[in-house]
């Protein structure tokens, strides 16, 4: 088999600042992977995440160490033997899915036995700011049905009330990104009930999950940093009702589909999320999101200039990226950005 893999870091500027409880982003720093075989090129993208000890360099090094095995024909099912779950395996796994679609002449949806993708209700994110600024951001989201509100422990009640006043009809996800204590979560229950929060995502640090045992929350609690792969699920019982599947945590579409099946089998609700990224990252995630109760794939909406054929927000719905970008036999010659 003649197969060639390349990996490089790319920086995609954002339209503004994206702030959460642990920091601010002004660009999406990603790893782009290409695997060429028999005249076809499969592509994938991973987003290194400092919270999990990843940097652009560590992810590139992981891929470099696995290059020989991948070029010798290593398949998706064997990737776990050379790469841990994370951004490196995600980028390579998704590139292999894309390559298979192009070599086989069948879309990824067809390979999965699924119909073509359709637009999906996805959250838009109000990033952390002053309550007034967050209210203004929510007010600008015309026709949106689901809003994710980034908060910390400073003034979460005021932020939530400002967003709710500006968007009275939207469903709300509140995401403290591990910045609350169990006391804050308990104190926020009346406020979350008042503003009708639908989901609270990873309120406590993952190391403090035990405090959630038996906690009676007015809104389902969703694990994010506490769940990466299917093997993490048993420890979440009695603490979380929903799990957030991200391809960068699970190690690609293959791992995400395994986690999806295991979550459903074990009675968990499912959310599908993403990092701040281009549409090349979220194109594979749509194949998981179509089976989820909550979807948060607005990563590319923050990019100043996304790939041609990228995902587009139309009112409440996110239109999936064009098949030519990822996951279909036709190769788009204009994929490389300037």
């Amino acid at each position: 088999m003649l197969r060639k893999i390349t990996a490089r870091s790319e920086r995609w500027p954002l339209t503004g600042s994206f702030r959460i409880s642990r920091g601010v982003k002004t660009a999406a720093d990603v790893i782009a992977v290409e695997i060429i075989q028999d005249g076809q090129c499969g592509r994938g993208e991973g987003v290194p995440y400092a919270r999990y000890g990843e940097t652009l360099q560590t992810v590139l090094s992981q891929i470099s160490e696995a290059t020989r095995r991948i070029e010798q024909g290593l398949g998706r099912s064997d990737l776990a033997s050379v790469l841990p779950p994370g951004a490196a395996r995600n980028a390579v796994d998704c590139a292999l899915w894309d390559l298979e679609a192009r070599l086989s002449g069948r879309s990824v949806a067809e390979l999965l036995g699924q119909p073509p993708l359709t637009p999906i209700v996805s959250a838009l994110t109000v990033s952390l700011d002053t309550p007034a600024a967050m209210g203004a951001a929510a007010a600008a989201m015309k026709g949106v049905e689901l809003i994710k509100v980034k908060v910390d422990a400073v003034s979460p009640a005021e932020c939530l009330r400002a967003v709710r006043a500006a968007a009275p009809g939207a469903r709300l996800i509140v995401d403290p990104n591990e910045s609350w204590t169990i006391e804050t979560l308990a104190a926020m229950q009346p406020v979350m009930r008042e503003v009708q929060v639908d989901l609270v995502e990873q309120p406590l640090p993952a190391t403090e999950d035990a405090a959630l045992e038996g906690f009676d929350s007015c809104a389902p609690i969703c694990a994010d940093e506490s769940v990466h792969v299917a093997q993490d699920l048993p420890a979440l019982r009695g603490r979380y009702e929903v799990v957030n599947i991200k391809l960068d945590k699970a190690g690609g579409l293959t791992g995400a589909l395994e986690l999806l099946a295991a979550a459903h089998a074990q009675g968990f609700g499912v959310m599908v999320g993403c990092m701040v990224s281009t549409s090349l990252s979220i194109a594979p995630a749509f194949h998981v999101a179509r089976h989820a109760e909550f979807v948060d794939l607005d990563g590319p909406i923050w990019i100043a200039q996304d790939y041609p054929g990228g995902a587009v927000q139309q009112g409440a719905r996110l239109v999936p990226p064009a098949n030519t970008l990822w996951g279909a036999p036709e190769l788009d010659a204009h994929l490389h950005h300037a």
Side-chain angles (χ1 to χ4, degrees):
M1 175 183 295
L2 289 174
R3 185 191 272 181
K4 178 72 175 172
I5 179 171
T6 59
R8 64 182 178 274
S9 63
E10 296 180 344
R11 168 161 275 220
W12 296 74
L14 307 187
T15 53
S17 296
F18 183 85
R19 184 187 300 270
I20 66 172
S21 63
R22 65 172 74 93
V24 184
K25 271 183 175 288
T26 56
D29 291 300
V30 308
I31 299 295
V33 165
E34 294 183 349
I35 303 176
I36 297 173
Q37 179 184 328
D38 298 338
Q40 296 289 351
C41 180
R43 294 175 173 82
E45 181 178 289
V47 184
Y49 202 43
R51 167 65 178 80
Y52 306 133
E54 294 179 327
T55 66
L56 291 167
Q57 192 52 54
T58 64
V59 171
L60 284 171
S61 295
Q62 286 180 326
I63 295 170
S64 178
E65 289 169 16
T67 289
R68 186 176 59 85
R69 294 283 306 280
I70 294 164
E71 291 188 339
Q72 288 174 341
L74 192 75
R76 291 192 310 273
S77 59
D78 299 314
L79 269 185
S81 67
V82 296
L83 289 169
R89 197 205 296 176
N90 177 31
V92 175
D93 179 79
C94 291
L96 287 172
W97 274 102
D98 189 33
L99 180 65
E100 182 176 338
R102 298 181 191 283
L103 290 172
S104 68
R106 302 169 69 206
S107 69
V108 169
E110 290 175 292
L111 294 173
L112 292 170
Q114 299 281 336
L117 294 173
T118 56
I120 197 165
V121 173
S122 175
L124 280 182
T125 301
V126 173
S127 76
L128 181 61
D129 208 323
T130 64
M134 292 175 71
M141 294 177 176
K142 304 300 182 189
V144 171
E145 293 178 12
L146 183 62
I147 294 176
K148 181 164 168 173
V149 188
K150 294 287 190 178
V151 298
D152 57 14
V154 178
S155 53
E158 291 82 356
C159 294
L160 279 175
R161 287 183 174 123
V163 171
R164 172 50 81 210
R171 297 159 69 213
L172 297 184
I173 300 170
V174 56
D175 185 7
N177 283 106
E178 301 183 284
S179 65
W180 288 1
T181 61
I182 192 68
E183 291 79 16
T184 307
L185 180 62
M188 284 296 294
Q189 292 299 305
V191 179
M192 291 198 295
R193 197 174 287 113
E194 170 197 328
V195 301
Q196 297 177 302
V197 166
D198 274 72
L199 192 71
V200 55
E201 187 181 347
Q202 196 72 40
L204 312 186
T207 52
E208 296 175 24
D209 278 350
L212 295 172
E213 196 83 45
F215 184 87
D216 184 21
S217 176
C218 67
I221 302 177
C222 175
D224 182 4
E225 285 82 356
S226 291
V227 61
H228 291 239
V229 294
Q231 290 77 7
D232 296 333
L233 291 175
L236 304 183
R237 287 201 192 96
R239 301 173 178 184
Y240 294 95
E241 296 162 81
V242 181
V243 293
N244 187 350
I245 300 175
K246 291 178 179 171
L247 274 64
D248 276 303
K249 295 186 299 178
L253 179 57
T254 302
L257 290 169
E258 290 171 1
L259 179 51
L260 173 73
H264 282 159
Q266 295 178 39
F268 288 96
V270 169
M271 174 179 181
V272 172
C274 66
M275 307 303 186
V276 179
S277 61
T278 78
S279 285
L280 184 56
S281 270
I282 70 159
F286 264 84
H287 294 280
V288 189
R290 69 194 314 172
H291 306 290
E293 291 93 332
F294 295 92
V295 176
D296 174 30
L297 292 180
D298 70 343
I301 305 303
W302 293 84
I303 300 286
Q305 186 172 353
D306 193 9
Y307 281 106
V312 178
Q313 188 80 26
Q314 291 185 349
R317 283 174 165 71
L318 188 66
V319 179
N323 266 344
T324 47
L325 178 61
W326 185 90
E330 302 80 24
L331 186 61
D332 185 343
H334 306 292
L335 279 179
H336 293 289
H337 74 292

